[in-house]
Amino acid sequence: MLTKASELNAYDVALENFDTAADALGLDHDTREMIKYPERVLTVSVPVLMDDGHIRRFEAYRVQHSSVRGPAKGGIRYHPQVTLDEVKALATWMTWKCAVVNIPFGGAKGGVTCDPKHMSQHELERLTRRYTSGILPLIGPEQDIPAPDVYTNPQTMAWIMDTYSMTKGYAIPGVVTGKPISLGGSLGRNEATGRGVFYTVQSACEHLHLPLKGAKVVVQGFGNAGSIAAQLLYEAGAKVIAVSDSRACILNRNGLNIPELMHMKALTGHVEGFPESEPIAPADLLALECDILVPAALENTIHAENANSVRAKIVAEAANGPLTPAADRILERKNIFVIPDILCNAGGVTVSYFEWVQDEQHLFWEAQDVYDRLEKVMKNAFRDVLKIHVDKKVSMRIAANMLGISRVAEAVQIRGIYP
Ligand code: NAD
């Protein structure tokens, strides 16, 4: 029986992906035991004084999957559907992602089960500060460094940085990345994930001899990652024909004006009703004939029931885990080239690493410096993954997992066990 995507457990998917890649690597049992599971899992109960004078309790998590290659690193998600298993899956993917782009970090993730769209700024600030106090024993610039994820942003990071710094007694900008520039954030961090997606799409187009100019693009999830990827693809001459957010899907077969759409989204918070566009159903958006489909919303949006309808040449996973394993197999059969999440969206954590380096050195780089270094990292990682894909005749996802897992495995084997 097919598992419904909504019932699919992201952590099961993460473990299944690990086993497939570990089998392809011929990884021994002992190494698997040491690197497969999260090192630390913390659940915190977060009481928050709401604006109506009542206390509301939120369940929240921080998971450190690996610190083998360096401090654990990963974003914090605020969403009503956050579960511990989702956070464990996202933390696991962070470990392999950091290793794929070869930055000296392990993997972590945090999450708060809440509905930020229905909370005031004051409530979000109190929630963030109390959550930070809850995870304080785990985080720190040499231990575990949070960053933004779905429905968290530079302001959230500023509150975390301030709360952490106030408990220590001095400013510690390196405890989080994705901060405002005025607090030690890096130029280029806000657009880093979308920019990284763009670089990997460029590499994939080169590999497939597909001209980016005139290529038809569909973006599911017009948020931070999706909108920046759309903008850079638009600037490179691609035609972004459809985009969506949690409220609406819009289409213009002649191409949407992305800078204007971004302007409208910044003003209104959504894409619905954009001039010169027509509304379409979410299922129709995924089924549009296009060259590049960018899922940039949440997990499991492409699954066994809708993967057959996908008619793209490239699927660029800006989101984490947008394809279920069943969808993966279907797209592979359809010969669709998938740029897997741990490669495709690694630009965010890469510039987070640059931010951390700049904070540690108290020396800040020009935006162009950040872009150039990011392009080099992303294109090198794409080349390394593609080589495994071609040499070992495995999917790009298995190839990326093989690369990430093999680097962590090598590190753990050299380190050994202590105590
Ligand atoms: P975001 O909150 O800025 O954007 C998410 C967007 O998805 C919003 O526009 C929202 O309306 C839309 N959305 C939500 N549910 C949807 C649905 N069912 N259909 C269509 N659209 C929907 O978040 P983000 O930071 O852009 O993250 C998006 C994805 O990218 C997540 O999977 C995240 O883990 C991943 N990611 C983000 C970063 C980063 O640096 N921001 C880095 C790596 C991976």
Side-chain angles (χ1 to χ4, degrees), residues 133-176:
S133 310
I135 62 170
L136 209 81
L138 295 197
I139 60 172
E142 308 298 334
Q143 291 164 263
D144 178 352
I145 308 143
D149 190 67
V150 176
Y151 299 144
T152 55
N153 55 36
Q155 175 62 72
T156 324
M157 297 306 113
W159 290 326
I160 297 176
M161 178 268 181
D162 182 67
T163 308
Y164 184 83
S165 299
M166 286 302 95
T167 16
K168 300 288 172 183
Y170 55 99
I172 309 174
V175 67
V176 282

Short mmCIF file of all heavy atoms in Angstrom, two decimals, residues 133-176:
data_model
loop_
_atom_site.label_atom_id
_atom_site.label_comp_id
_atom_site.label_asym_id
_atom_site.label_seq_id
_atom_site.Cartn_x
_atom_site.Cartn_y
_atom_site.Cartn_z
N SER A 133 16.74 30.39 26.15
CA SER A 133 17.16 29.99 27.50
C SER A 133 17.08 28.49 27.65
O SER A 133 17.95 27.86 28.28
CB SER A 133 16.25 30.61 28.57
OG SER A 133 16.11 31.96 28.36
N GLY A 134 16.06 27.89 27.06
CA GLY A 134 15.88 26.44 27.16
C GLY A 134 16.99 25.65 26.49
O GLY A 134 17.40 24.60 26.99
N ILE A 135 17.48 26.15 25.36
CA ILE A 135 18.51 25.38 24.63
C ILE A 135 19.93 25.91 24.93
O ILE A 135 20.90 25.43 24.34
CB ILE A 135 18.25 25.38 23.10
CG1 ILE A 135 18.31 26.79 22.50
CG2 ILE A 135 16.91 24.71 22.78
CD1 ILE A 135 18.31 26.81 20.97
N LEU A 136 20.00 26.85 25.87
CA LEU A 136 21.28 27.48 26.19
C LEU A 136 22.43 26.50 26.47
O LEU A 136 23.56 26.73 26.04
CB LEU A 136 21.11 28.44 27.37
CG LEU A 136 22.06 29.62 27.39
CD1 LEU A 136 21.60 30.72 26.46
CD2 LEU A 136 22.17 30.16 28.81
N PRO A 137 22.15 25.39 27.20
CA PRO A 137 23.28 24.49 27.49
C PRO A 137 23.88 23.88 26.21
O PRO A 137 25.02 23.41 26.24
CB PRO A 137 22.63 23.37 28.33
CG PRO A 137 21.33 23.91 28.80
CD PRO A 137 20.89 24.94 27.82
N LEU A 138 23.14 23.87 25.11
CA LEU A 138 23.67 23.22 23.91
C LEU A 138 24.36 24.18 22.96
O LEU A 138 25.25 23.76 22.21
CB LEU A 138 22.53 22.54 23.12
CG LEU A 138 21.78 21.36 23.73
CD1 LEU A 138 21.02 20.62 22.65
CD2 LEU A 138 22.74 20.40 24.42
N ILE A 139 23.92 25.45 22.91
CA ILE A 139 24.41 26.31 21.83
C ILE A 139 25.64 27.11 22.23
O ILE A 139 25.95 27.26 23.41
CB ILE A 139 23.30 27.25 21.29
CG1 ILE A 139 22.76 28.17 22.38
CG2 ILE A 139 22.19 26.45 20.65
CD1 ILE A 139 21.80 29.24 21.87
N GLY A 140 26.32 27.64 21.24
CA GLY A 140 27.53 28.44 21.46
C GLY A 140 28.34 28.43 20.18
O GLY A 140 28.22 27.50 19.37
N PRO A 141 29.18 29.45 19.97
CA PRO A 141 29.90 29.57 18.70
C PRO A 141 30.85 28.41 18.40
O PRO A 141 31.19 28.19 17.24
CB PRO A 141 30.67 30.88 18.83
CG PRO A 141 30.52 31.34 20.22
CD PRO A 141 29.41 30.59 20.86
N GLU A 142 31.28 27.69 19.45
CA GLU A 142 32.15 26.53 19.19
C GLU A 142 31.38 25.22 19.33
O GLU A 142 31.96 24.15 19.17
CB GLU A 142 33.32 26.51 20.18
CG GLU A 142 34.12 27.79 20.27
CD GLU A 142 34.79 28.16 18.95
OE1 GLU A 142 35.05 27.24 18.15
OE2 GLU A 142 35.04 29.36 18.73
N GLN A 143 30.07 25.31 19.68
CA GLN A 143 29.32 24.07 19.97
C GLN A 143 28.22 23.81 18.96
O GLN A 143 28.14 22.74 18.36
CB GLN A 143 28.64 24.19 21.34
CG GLN A 143 29.55 24.20 22.51
CD GLN A 143 28.79 24.71 23.72
OE1 GLN A 143 28.86 25.88 24.07
NE2 GLN A 143 28.02 23.84 24.34
N ASP A 144 27.34 24.79 18.83
CA ASP A 144 26.13 24.59 18.02
C ASP A 144 25.61 25.98 17.67
O ASP A 144 25.36 26.80 18.56
CB ASP A 144 25.10 23.80 18.85
CG ASP A 144 23.78 23.59 18.11
OD1 ASP A 144 23.60 24.16 17.02
OD2 ASP A 144 22.94 22.85 18.65
N ILE A 145 25.47 26.22 16.37
CA ILE A 145 25.21 27.58 15.90
C ILE A 145 23.90 27.61 15.10
O ILE A 145 23.86 27.18 13.94
CB ILE A 145 26.39 28.05 14.99
CG1 ILE A 145 27.72 27.85 15.72
CG2 ILE A 145 26.21 29.49 14.55
CD1 ILE A 145 28.84 27.41 14.82
N PRO A 146 22.80 28.11 15.70
CA PRO A 146 21.53 28.19 14.97
C PRO A 146 21.54 29.23 13.84
O PRO A 146 22.43 30.07 13.77
CB PRO A 146 20.52 28.59 16.05
CG PRO A 146 21.16 28.25 17.35
CD PRO A 146 22.62 28.44 17.13
N ALA A 147 20.52 29.14 13.00
CA ALA A 147 20.34 30.06 11.86
C ALA A 147 18.84 30.11 11.54
O ALA A 147 18.07 29.33 12.10
CB ALA A 147 21.13 29.52 10.66
N PRO A 148 18.41 30.97 10.62
CA PRO A 148 16.99 30.99 10.28
C PRO A 148 16.57 29.78 9.45
O PRO A 148 17.37 29.19 8.74
CB PRO A 148 16.83 32.26 9.43
CG PRO A 148 18.08 33.04 9.61
CD PRO A 148 19.15 32.06 9.96
N ASP A 149 15.31 29.42 9.56
CA ASP A 149 14.69 28.43 8.67
C ASP A 149 13.26 28.93 8.44
O ASP A 149 13.00 30.14 8.56
CB ASP A 149 14.74 27.03 9.31
CG ASP A 149 14.32 25.93 8.32
OD1 ASP A 149 15.05 25.69 7.34
OD2 ASP A 149 13.25 25.32 8.50
N VAL A 150 12.33 28.03 8.17
CA VAL A 150 10.98 28.46 7.82
C VAL A 150 10.37 29.32 8.95
O VAL A 150 10.35 28.89 10.11
CB VAL A 150 10.08 27.23 7.54
CG1 VAL A 150 8.65 27.65 7.26
CG2 VAL A 150 10.64 26.45 6.36
N TYR A 151 9.90 30.49 8.57
CA TYR A 151 9.23 31.45 9.46
C TYR A 151 10.08 31.94 10.63
O TYR A 151 9.57 32.37 11.66
CB TYR A 151 7.88 30.90 9.95
CG TYR A 151 6.91 30.65 8.81
CD1 TYR A 151 6.03 29.57 8.84
CD2 TYR A 151 6.89 31.48 7.70
CE1 TYR A 151 5.15 29.33 7.77
CE2 TYR A 151 6.03 31.24 6.63
CZ TYR A 151 5.17 30.17 6.67
OH TYR A 151 4.32 29.94 5.62
N THR A 152 11.40 31.87 10.49
CA THR A 152 12.30 32.61 11.38
C THR A 152 13.18 33.48 10.48
O THR A 152 13.33 33.19 9.29
CB THR A 152 13.18 31.70 12.26
OG1 THR A 152 13.89 30.79 11.42
CG2 THR A 152 12.35 30.93 13.27
N ASN A 153 13.76 34.53 11.01
CA ASN A 153 14.44 35.51 10.16
C ASN A 153 15.57 36.21 10.94
O ASN A 153 15.83 35.86 12.09
CB ASN A 153 13.40 36.50 9.64
CG ASN A 153 12.62 37.13 10.79
OD1 ASN A 153 13.17 37.39 11.87
ND2 ASN A 153 11.34 37.36 10.58
N PRO A 154 16.25 37.20 10.32
CA PRO A 154 17.35 37.88 11.02
C PRO A 154 16.93 38.47 12.37
O PRO A 154 17.70 38.45 13.34
CB PRO A 154 17.74 38.99 10.03
CG PRO A 154 17.42 38.41 8.68
CD PRO A 154 16.16 37.62 8.89
N GLN A 155 15.68 38.96 12.48
CA GLN A 155 15.23 39.51 13.77
C GLN A 155 15.23 38.40 14.84
O GLN A 155 15.65 38.61 15.98
CB GLN A 155 13.83 40.12 13.63
CG GLN A 155 13.24 40.60 14.95
CD GLN A 155 14.04 41.72 15.61
OE1 GLN A 155 14.04 42.85 15.15
NE2 GLN A 155 14.76 41.41 16.70
N THR A 156 14.75 37.20 14.45
CA THR A 156 14.75 36.08 15.40
C THR A 156 16.18 35.80 15.87
O THR A 156 16.44 35.56 17.06
CB THR A 156 14.18 34.80 14.73
OG1 THR A 156 13.14 35.15 13.83
CG2 THR A 156 13.71 33.79 15.73
N MET A 157 17.13 35.84 14.90
CA MET A 157 18.53 35.56 15.25
C MET A 157 19.08 36.64 16.18
O MET A 157 19.87 36.35 17.09
CB MET A 157 19.39 35.48 13.97
CG MET A 157 19.02 34.34 13.04
SD MET A 157 18.99 32.73 13.86
CE MET A 157 17.25 32.33 13.81
N ALA A 158 18.64 37.90 15.96
CA ALA A 158 19.11 39.00 16.83
C ALA A 158 18.64 38.75 18.27
O ALA A 158 19.40 38.96 19.22
CB ALA A 158 18.58 40.33 16.31
N TRP A 159 17.40 38.30 18.44
CA TRP A 159 16.90 38.02 19.80
C TRP A 159 17.68 36.88 20.44
O TRP A 159 17.99 36.91 21.63
CB TRP A 159 15.40 37.66 19.75
CG TRP A 159 14.49 38.81 19.41
CD1 TRP A 159 14.67 40.13 19.75
CD2 TRP A 159 13.26 38.74 18.67
NE1 TRP A 159 13.63 40.87 19.25
CE2 TRP A 159 12.74 40.07 18.59
CE3 TRP A 159 12.54 37.72 18.05
CZ2 TRP A 159 11.55 40.37 17.94
CZ3 TRP A 159 11.35 38.02 17.41
CH2 TRP A 159 10.86 39.34 17.35
N ILE A 160 18.00 35.86 19.65
CA ILE A 160 18.78 34.73 20.20
C ILE A 160 20.17 35.22 20.61
O ILE A 160 20.66 34.93 21.70
CB ILE A 160 18.89 33.57 19.17
CG1 ILE A 160 17.50 33.00 18.86
CG2 ILE A 160 19.83 32.47 19.69
CD1 ILE A 160 17.50 31.92 17.78
N MET A 161 20.79 35.98 19.71
CA MET A 161 22.14 36.49 19.98
C MET A 161 22.13 37.35 21.25
O MET A 161 23.01 37.24 22.12
CB MET A 161 22.63 37.31 18.78
CG MET A 161 23.99 37.94 18.92
SD MET A 161 23.82 39.60 19.58
CE MET A 161 25.49 40.16 19.65
N ASP A 162 21.10 38.19 21.39
CA ASP A 162 21.03 39.09 22.55
C ASP A 162 20.81 38.29 23.83
O ASP A 162 21.49 38.51 24.84
CB ASP A 162 19.90 40.11 22.37
CG ASP A 162 19.85 41.08 23.54
OD1 ASP A 162 20.79 41.87 23.68
OD2 ASP A 162 18.88 41.01 24.33
N THR A 163 19.89 37.34 23.80
CA THR A 163 19.59 36.54 25.00
C THR A 163 20.85 35.77 25.44
O THR A 163 21.22 35.77 26.62
CB THR A 163 18.43 35.56 24.72
OG1 THR A 163 17.35 36.29 24.16
CG2 THR A 163 17.98 34.85 25.99
N TYR A 164 21.50 35.13 24.48
CA TYR A 164 22.70 34.35 24.77
C TYR A 164 23.80 35.26 25.33
O TYR A 164 24.42 34.96 26.36
CB TYR A 164 23.19 33.66 23.49
CG TYR A 164 24.37 32.75 23.70
CD1 TYR A 164 24.20 31.44 24.14
CD2 TYR A 164 25.66 33.20 23.45
CE1 TYR A 164 25.29 30.61 24.34
CE2 TYR A 164 26.76 32.38 23.64
CZ TYR A 164 26.57 31.08 24.09
OH TYR A 164 27.65 30.26 24.27
N SER A 165 24.00 36.41 24.67
CA SER A 165 25.06 37.34 25.08
C SER A 165 24.80 37.87 26.48
O SER A 165 25.73 38.02 27.29
CB SER A 165 25.15 38.51 24.10
OG SER A 165 25.47 38.04 22.81
N MET A 166 23.53 38.19 26.79
CA MET A 166 23.20 38.74 28.11
C MET A 166 23.47 37.74 29.23
O MET A 166 23.85 38.11 30.33
CB MET A 166 21.74 39.21 28.14
CG MET A 166 21.47 40.49 27.37
SD MET A 166 22.46 41.90 27.94
CE MET A 166 23.84 41.89 26.86
N THR A 167 23.30 36.43 28.92
CA THR A 167 23.59 35.44 29.97
C THR A 167 25.09 35.30 30.18
O THR A 167 25.54 34.99 31.29
CB THR A 167 23.04 34.04 29.60
OG1 THR A 167 22.74 34.01 28.24
CG2 THR A 167 21.87 33.64 30.41
N LYS A 168 25.87 35.55 29.13
CA LYS A 168 27.33 35.42 29.27
C LYS A 168 27.94 36.74 29.76
O LYS A 168 29.04 36.76 30.28
CB LYS A 168 27.97 35.05 27.92
CG LYS A 168 27.47 33.74 27.34
CD LYS A 168 27.99 32.54 28.12
CE LYS A 168 27.30 31.27 27.63
NZ LYS A 168 27.67 30.08 28.36
N GLY A 169 27.25 37.87 29.48
CA GLY A 169 27.75 39.15 29.96
C GLY A 169 28.50 39.97 28.91
O GLY A 169 29.01 41.03 29.22
N TYR A 170 28.61 39.48 27.70
CA TYR A 170 29.28 40.26 26.64
C TYR A 170 28.74 39.80 25.29
O TYR A 170 28.13 38.72 25.20
CB TYR A 170 30.80 40.09 26.70
CG TYR A 170 31.28 38.65 26.64
CD1 TYR A 170 31.72 38.09 25.45
CD2 TYR A 170 31.28 37.85 27.78
CE1 TYR A 170 32.16 36.77 25.40
CE2 TYR A 170 31.71 36.53 27.75
CZ TYR A 170 32.15 36.00 26.54
OH TYR A 170 32.56 34.70 26.49
N ALA A 171 28.95 40.63 24.25
CA ALA A 171 28.37 40.33 22.93
C ALA A 171 29.06 39.15 22.27
O ALA A 171 30.29 39.12 22.16
CB ALA A 171 28.47 41.55 22.04
N ILE A 172 28.25 38.16 21.85
CA ILE A 172 28.82 36.97 21.18
C ILE A 172 28.07 36.76 19.86
O ILE A 172 27.17 35.92 19.76
CB ILE A 172 28.71 35.73 22.09
CG1 ILE A 172 29.29 36.05 23.47
CG2 ILE A 172 29.41 34.52 21.46
CD1 ILE A 172 29.12 34.98 24.49
N PRO A 173 28.44 37.52 18.84
CA PRO A 173 27.72 37.45 17.57
C PRO A 173 27.80 36.06 16.92
O PRO A 173 26.86 35.64 16.24
CB PRO A 173 28.41 38.49 16.67
CG PRO A 173 29.29 39.30 17.57
CD PRO A 173 29.54 38.51 18.81
N GLY A 174 28.92 35.34 17.15
CA GLY A 174 29.13 34.05 16.48
C GLY A 174 28.22 32.93 16.95
O GLY A 174 28.28 31.82 16.43
N VAL A 175 27.31 33.20 17.90
CA VAL A 175 26.42 32.13 18.38
C VAL A 175 25.32 31.80 17.37
O VAL A 175 24.75 30.71 17.42
CB VAL A 175 25.80 32.49 19.76
CG1 VAL A 175 24.84 33.67 19.66
CG2 VAL A 175 25.07 31.30 20.36
N VAL A 176 25.01 32.75 16.49
CA VAL A 176 24.01 32.48 15.43
C VAL A 176 24.52 33.05 14.12
O VAL A 176 25.36 33.96 14.11
CB VAL A 176 22.63 33.13 15.71
CG1 VAL A 176 21.82 32.38 16.72
CG2 VAL A 176 22.76 34.60 16.08
#
